[in-house]
């Protein structure tokens, strides 16, 4: 990764992570900490998942991040009232000291640790925080309305950075994270997905200074939360500096020590039956039926993706592997003013060649649903009579290299994880 502060790459500064008074659930006032947490808002896609979370505990965080009402204004007002009521009732309480927070997720052999704080905002051209995906304006507008109404950062973004390989001459962020994680935690809970979550506060001035000094030389990649980062930037423009709106809540993970998992984000096409989708690809893609179950079909997709563009279509009870596109079709439909690595992305070909040119499917919520969970995508397609388009994940090195070049991938191209649980620590902007 390029080093912030050098003239040749145009980076003017590094990451500036600030401690804050974390807003956390009071354990004695809720059924359990696990019962009030939620996945990030854009992972809770199915109504049954939303209802399950709402019924898990009357104070589940989903009532703030996905309030239910007839209009966007009513939803935002409801979330603001709920947050106010929970604060007044002592359901949520601010920590007495400003802190950075070490956050750990563990499941089986998987261990991830990072540091949560309020990160100074910067635009992409500053080269400090690198986006790698485009965003959908209507989602940013929706999230901005909610954040504006609640005056709070309700869930952290997931950002990655890379520390120096090998030992550093002085203690840095990684060393402080590891030392802090050896102490008794502020909280420990296990969510129903099997992940154990632990949280610690860093309040010692020496430790805070070490983290700040180390990260001040670093550059980060947005792994998850592009829409929330764009929301932060939009709201910063509405509030003349200096204000708390100059910062946003993030989780920073050093992927030298804790590599993230990269998964695909799938598409469910509401109004396109599988038969019509396949008919439009005849003669320009190779189409063959592959055996199930889903895991076997995904393995076949992985093998095909290693050789070129490939997609798995389903929704009719069968699995159709679509691969080997006509080179002339790709040349005609995919723009030429981007790096070749971008032009070869499955998400690029899916949107430019299949959705736009062959299927004529608009990229709008009425037509396309973006879903992280593979089984949920297939189930939704089968229930609606639509088409599930399953993708193979992009390698992290490709994502990072394109981001370094200032090239954004098609929106919803990747899903980095594990994602932080929502509800363990919030940030008030008051």
């Amino acid at each position: 990764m390029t080093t912030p502060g050098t003239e040749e790459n145009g980076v003017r500064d590094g990451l500036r992570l600030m401690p804050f008074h974390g807003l956390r659930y009071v354990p004695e006032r809720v059924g359990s900490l696990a019962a009030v947490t939620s996945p990030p808002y854009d992972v809770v896609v199915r109504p049954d998942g939303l209802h399950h979370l709402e019924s898990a505990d009357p104070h589940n965080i989903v009532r703030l991040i996905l309030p239910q009402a007839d209009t966007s204004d009513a939803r935002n007002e409801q979330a603001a009232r709920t947050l106010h009521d929970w604060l007044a009732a002592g359901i949520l309480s601010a920590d007495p000291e400003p802190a950075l927070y070490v956050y750990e997720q563990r499941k089986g052999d998987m261990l991830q640790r990072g540091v949560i704080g309020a990160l100074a905002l910067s635009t992409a051209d500053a080269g400090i925080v690198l986006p790698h995906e485009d965003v959908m304006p209507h989602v940013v507008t929706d999230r901005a309305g909610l954040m504006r109404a609640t005056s709070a950062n309700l869930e952290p973004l997931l950002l990655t950075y890379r520390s120096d390989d090998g030992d550093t001459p002085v203690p840095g962020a990684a060393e402080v994270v590891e030392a802090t994680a050896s102490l008794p935690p502020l909280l420990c809970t296990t969510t129903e997905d099997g992940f154990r979550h632990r949280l610690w506060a860093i309040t010692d001035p020496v430790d805070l200074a070490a983290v700040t000094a180390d990260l001040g030389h670093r550059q980060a990649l947005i792994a998850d939360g592009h829409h929330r980062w764009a929301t932060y930037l939009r709201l910063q423009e509405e509030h003349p500096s200096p204000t708390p709106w100059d910062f946003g809540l993030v989780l920073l993970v050093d992927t030298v020590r804790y590599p993230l998992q990269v998964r695909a984000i799938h598409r469910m096409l509401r109004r396109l039956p599988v038969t019509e989708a396949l008919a439009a690809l005849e003669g320009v893609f190779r189409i063959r039926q592959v055996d199930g179950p889903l895991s076997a079909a995904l393995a076949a997709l992985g093998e095909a993706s290693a050789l070129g563009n490939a997609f798995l279509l389903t929704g009719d009870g069968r699995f159709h592997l679509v691969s080997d596109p006509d080179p002339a079709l790709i040349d005609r439909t995919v723009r030429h003013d981007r790096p070749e690595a971008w032009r070869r992305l499955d998400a690029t070909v899916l949107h430019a060649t299949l959705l736009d040119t062959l299927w004529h499917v608009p990229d709008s919520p009425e037509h396309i649903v973006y879903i992280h969970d593979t089984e949920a995508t297939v189930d939704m397609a089968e229930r609606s009579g639509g088409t599930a388009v399953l993708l193979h994940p992009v390698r992290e090195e490709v994502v990072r290299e394109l981001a370094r070049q200032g090239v954004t991938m098609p929106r919803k191209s990747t899903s980095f994880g594990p994602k932080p649980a929502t509800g363990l620590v919030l940030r008030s902007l008051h």
Side-chain angles (χ1 to χ4, degrees):
M1 177 171 286
T2 51
T3 303
T6 56
E7 184 64 29
E8 64 223 340
N9 56 38
V11 180
R12 296 190 293 271
D13 203 351
L15 302 169
R16 188 155 65 99
L17 193 68
M18 303 296 291
F20 66 104
H21 294 271
L23 200 60
R24 298 190 294 114
Y25 280 99
V26 177
E28 297 78 15
R29 301 303 308 275
V30 297
S32 74
L33 290 174
V36 295
T37 64
S38 163
Y41 80 95
D42 57 341
V43 180
V44 186
V45 294
R46 303 196 321 187
D48 55 344
L50 177 64
H51 297 153
H52 172 73
L53 290 166
E54 287 182 327
S55 61
D57 189 283
H59 304 108
N60 188 283
I61 193 68
V62 78
R63 297 179 185 275
L64 297 182
I65 63 172
L66 288 173
Q68 298 301 294
D70 292 335
T71 67
S72 59
D73 287 344
R75 289 191 291 272
N76 296 335
E77 291 169 4
Q78 178 176 303
R81 284 195 306 271
T82 300
L83 179 58
H84 177 272
D85 291 346
W86 289 359
L87 289 168
I91 305 300
L92 291 167
S93 179
D95 286 335
E97 291 185 82
L100 297 176
Y101 296 86
V102 172
Y103 175 50
E104 175 188 281
Q105 295 161 277
R106 184 190 294 268
K107 182 178 181 181
D109 296 332
M110 199 292 301
L111 172 64
Q112 178 173 288
R113 288 184 184 137
V115 59
I116 295 175
L119 184 66
L121 304 182
S122 59
T123 55
D125 58 5
I128 300 170
V129 176
L130 304 176
H132 71 267
E133 287 186 357
D134 295 330
V135 298
M136 293 175 273
H138 74 276
V139 177
V140 177
T141 297
D142 177 74
R143 290 291 103 185
L146 178 64
M147 203 176 296
R148 194 183 294 116
T150 57
S151 292
N153 297 154
L154 300 174
E155 46 188 334
L157 283 66
L158 176 60
L159 273 61
T160 73
Y161 75 99
R162 295 185 65 80
S163 64
D164 299 324
D165 292 319
D167 295 331
T168 55
V170 295
E175 289 74 22
V176 173
V177 165
E178 298 307 310
T180 303
S182 68
L183 303 173
L186 287 176
L187 64 86
C188 179
T189 189
T190 301
T191 46
E192 65 178 9
D193 58 4
F195 274 94
R196 185 183 70 166
H197 308 264
R198 296 200 294 172
L199 191 76
W200 297 261
I202 305 173
T203 57
D204 181 87
V206 174
D207 289 341
L208 291 173
V211 173
T212 299
D214 186 3
L215 294 179
H217 302 286
R218 308 294 180 194
Q219 182 184 60
L221 173 74
I222 300 177
D224 185 70
H226 285 81
H227 289 93
R228 281 165 283 166
W229 184 259
T231 300
Y232 288 166
L233 294 174
R234 177 181 295 188
L235 293 175
Q236 182 188 34
E237 292 179 354
E238 298 177 6
H239 298 81
S241 297
T243 71
W245 298 90
D246 293 330
F247 298 82
L249 185 64
V250 305
L251 165 65
L252 277 165
V253 174
D254 175 10
T255 53
V256 169
R257 288 168 169 78
Y258 300 107
L260 268 63
Q261 301 169 350
V262 187
R263 294 187 173 91
I265 301 178
H266 310 294
R267 278 69 167 156
M268 204 292 289
L269 311 182
R270 295 180 184 271
R271 303 179 183 179
L272 182 67
V274 175
T275 53
E276 293 182 18
L278 293 173
L281 305 182
E282 289 286 352
V284 288
F285 278 84
R286 180 188 180 195
I287 303 171
R288 57 191 173 98
Q289 191 169 317
V290 294
D291 294 332
L294 178 58
S295 57
L298 289 173
L301 173 62
E303 293 175 4
S305 295
L307 303 175
N309 297 119
F311 311 93
L312 190 66
L313 273 57
T314 187
D316 60 352
R318 294 173 290 180
F319 297 104
H320 310 272
L321 184 62
V322 175
S323 63
D324 301 294
D326 180 353
L329 174 67
I330 301 301
D331 186 68
R332 175 169 58 86
T333 56
V334 177
R335 55 193 294 180
H336 288 263
D337 60 345
R338 297 291 179 90
E340 192 62 24
W342 183 91
R343 298 187 73 248
R344 293 197 304 266
L345 292 171
D346 286 339
T348 298
V349 173
L350 172 60
H351 281 262
T353 305
L354 279 72
L355 291 171
D356 292 350
T357 305
L358 300 178
W359 290 338
H360 306 290
V361 174
D363 192 358
S364 65
E366 296 79 21
H367 293 269
I368 303 178
V369 184
Y370 293 85
I371 308 177
H372 295 73
D373 183 83
T374 308
E375 292 182 356
T377 311
V378 176
D379 180 62
M380 185 178 290
E382 290 179 345
R383 287 188 288 110
S384 68
T387 296
V389 183
L390 308 181
L391 289 83
H392 190 69
V394 182
R395 290 180 292 113
E396 182 179 357
E397 311 88 80
V398 174
V399 176
R400 196 175 295 276
E401 182 55 36
L402 286 174
R404 283 197 190 104
Q405 298 176 49
V407 178
T408 55
M409 300 168 66
R411 49 181 167 258
K412 299 294 183 182
S413 294
T414 58
S415 176
F416 284 86
K419 304 178 191 303
T422 299
L424 296 179
V425 60
L426 291 64
R427 173 177 175 254
S428 173
L429 292 161
H430 284 304

